[in-house]
Amino acid sequence: MVRVVITGIGLVSALGNSLEDSWQNLLSGTTGIELHQPFPELLKIPLGLIGDKPSDLSTLTQMVVNSALEDAKLVAPLVDCAVVIGSSRGYQRSWEKLARQMYGKDTRELSLKLEDWLYTLPQMNAIAVARQIGATGIVLAPMAACATGIWAIAQAVMLIQTGQCQRAIAGAVEAPITPLTICGFQQMGALATTGAYPFDLHREGLVLGEGGAVFVLESADLAKQRQTKPEKMYGEILGFGLTADAFHGSQPEPEGKGAITAIQQCLKRSGLTPADIDYIHAHGTGTLLNDRIESKIIQHLFPPTVAISSTKGSSGHTLGASAALGVAFALMSLRYQKIPACVGLQQPEFDLNFVTTAKETKISQILCSSFGFGGQNAVIALSK
């Protein structure tokens, strides 16, 4: 089997405009969540904004891609590099703006340019990345709700392991702070009113955030040919598990059967047992249902000593990009042998080994999980 390693990461989040800044703020227990009112027609709510106003998807994507290439010491054009960049919302912000112009209070005649509209189709962000780095090979644009980030990485791994390429740039980016997204989650009763408190007895729901993480994945042989030193690699992808509940449009299956299967698949493909996992980067949205079912799954499969935390109390829930951010933070845990705290957790509802203060510890294998609307389950195993 072809070994796949990570040689570069680009990340931007409410915690910082770079991977290092976000990581340091995460370790210090900082949260990027604040009360904002980006739209005058809506009330002030907690959000994980990067700046003072909602970000642009294309701008965020260009930032993280450039950072990932620089981190991996690669220079465009990268003709043979595969591109797998996902998003669950894509250019929804652009579509909402268009709808407001067409049907809102602005009654002035709107001239719609076909080219502008085409550039907002779901796959076009991945296409833009291919143009940005000069890639002329495979381009994929996965959409799997909150599991999108791990889906993208998994697809890139499969491309490398099947010999279709030796290098891929993969990840997910999200700019979901729009009136429709906010109103939709509010109607579902899923949004928090004061902040994000994963696994807490008094958790209120999720807090929307924006950001993205993109990775340079290479075969171990190619990384060696480039004379990339082992200490410069973030880690190795051991395996993954991908399943669907086929149960409900938004609620997870009550017994977590699909998620359990995804974890078992991931462990089997990685040659690991539950006891081999040192740290679980949990999905941990802060919603009543997700945290309850995820905790039940962890208690069912893993020993009580495994360390657990979620980073959404710091970054907010970046929807399609959340799993990518989770993988990036997990790889930083491997590099620095530190586990970040589950920020926002004050009074755990569940009997698990939650990390409430960042700590140094020996970490060899990490499991990252992400469970998306529609029952999309994605789990990935990482090692030093």
Side-chain angles (χ1 to χ4, degrees):
M1 181 66 73
V2 176
R3 295 173 58 204
V4 179
V5 296
I6 300 96
T7 58
I9 304 176
L11 183 144
V12 60
S13 74
L15 283 168
N17 286 325
S18 69
L19 174 63
E20 189 60 35
D21 286 347
S22 294
W23 173 247
Q24 292 302 325
N25 285 326
L26 181 62
L27 286 182
S28 69
T30 301
T31 179
I33 295 170
E34 296 180 359
L35 289 174
H36 292 277
Q37 189 178 13
F39 309 107
E41 65 271 27
L42 301 178
L43 297 175
K44 186 178 290 188
I45 59 171
L47 294 169
L49 287 178
I50 293 169
D52 296 329
K53 59 183 181 180
S55 299
D56 173 72
L57 180 68
S58 297
T59 301
L60 292 184
T61 305
Q62 289 171 8
M63 285 176 59
V64 292
V65 169
N66 284 336
S67 295
L69 295 186
E70 182 179 352
D71 192 32
K73 294 181 169 50
L74 291 171
V75 178
L78 300 171
V79 177
D80 297 325
C81 182
V83 173
V84 191
I85 302 294
S87 178
S88 73
R89 288 298 184 277
Y91 291 100
Q92 181 179 315
R93 181 184 176 204
S94 298
W95 282 59
E96 287 186 44
K97 182 179 178 181
L98 177 63
R100 286 194 299 271
Q101 290 174 319
M102 293 177 68
Y103 305 113
K105 294 181 180 179
D106 186 354
T107 57
R108 290 173 297 180
E109 184 178 352
L110 176 68
S111 176
L112 175 60
K113 296 179 180 178
L114 180 59
E115 184 176 284
D116 292 343
W117 174 73
L118 286 173
Y119 282 148
T120 67
L121 296 179
Q123 77 278 11
M124 295 307 285
N125 199 40
I127 297 293
V129 172
R131 293 199 307 270
Q132 180 181 345
I133 69 173
T136 59
I138 299 167
V139 179
L140 301 175
M143 300 180 76
C146 306
T148 298
I150 291 177
W151 266 100
I153 296 168
Q155 287 180 317
V157 170
M158 287 187 281
L159 291 176
I160 294 172
Q161 290 183 335
T162 54
Q164 297 181 65
C165 62
Q166 289 198 70
R167 178 186 295 130
I169 188 160
V173 188
E174 204 78 271
I177 312 301
T178 74
L180 180 59
T181 302
I182 291 173
C183 290
F185 279 109
Q186 282 179 332
Q187 287 294 312
M188 292 176 60
L191 283 191
T193 57
T194 64
Y197 316 115
F199 301 108
D200 196 272
L201 181 64
H202 303 293
R203 63 194 183 278
E204 303 172 350
L206 63 87
V207 171
L208 291 170
E210 56 185 16
V214 164
F215 308 84
V216 175
L217 279 65
E218 298 181 273
S219 68
D221 288 342
L222 178 59
K224 186 176 180 180
Q225 289 172 21
R226 288 208 301 127
Q227 297 183 332
T228 305
K229 297 179 180 179
E231 63 269 20
K232 295 295 183 182
M233 299 180 196
Y234 286 93
E236 179 178 354
I237 298 171
L238 298 180
F240 50 84
L242 308 169
T243 65
D245 288 351
F247 172 73
H248 189 272
S250 60
Q251 296 178 16
E253 197 277 324
E255 299 302 317
K257 295 176 184 177
I260 288 171
T261 300
I263 293 171
Q264 291 172 333
Q265 286 179 357
C266 178
L267 292 173
K268 182 177 180 181
R269 291 168 182 162
S270 304
L272 300 172
T273 68
D276 294 324
I277 302 300
D278 301 306
Y279 166 45
I280 296 175
H281 184 286
H283 189 49
T285 62
T287 60
L288 291 174
L289 279 179
N290 176 88
D291 291 6
R292 183 181 302 138
I293 294 173
E294 187 171 11
S295 296
K296 182 190 298 186
I297 291 166
I298 294 171
Q299 289 170 331
H300 175 71
L301 291 175
F302 294 91
T305 54
V306 64
I308 300 160
S309 71
S310 164
T311 54
K312 290 182 177 65
S314 290
S315 65
H317 192 343
T318 54
L319 304 183
S322 63
L325 264 67
V327 169
F329 290 139
L331 289 167
M332 294 294 275
S333 290
L334 280 172
R335 168 168 282 192
Y336 293 107
Q337 296 291 285
K338 294 180 180 179
I339 298 178
C342 192
V343 175
L345 176 60
Q346 298 295 325
Q347 188 176 349
E349 180 179 350
F350 314 100
D351 186 19
L352 292 168
N353 184 23
F354 292 112
V355 178
T356 55
T357 304
K359 66 175 184 179
E360 292 190 28
T361 186
K362 183 180 178 181
I363 310 169
S364 296
Q365 285 90 217
I366 294 178
L367 205 70
C368 290
S369 57
S370 192
F371 309 118
F373 275 6
Q376 297 275 22
N377 308 301
V379 183
I380 194 166
L382 311 166
S383 75
K384 294 175 65 176

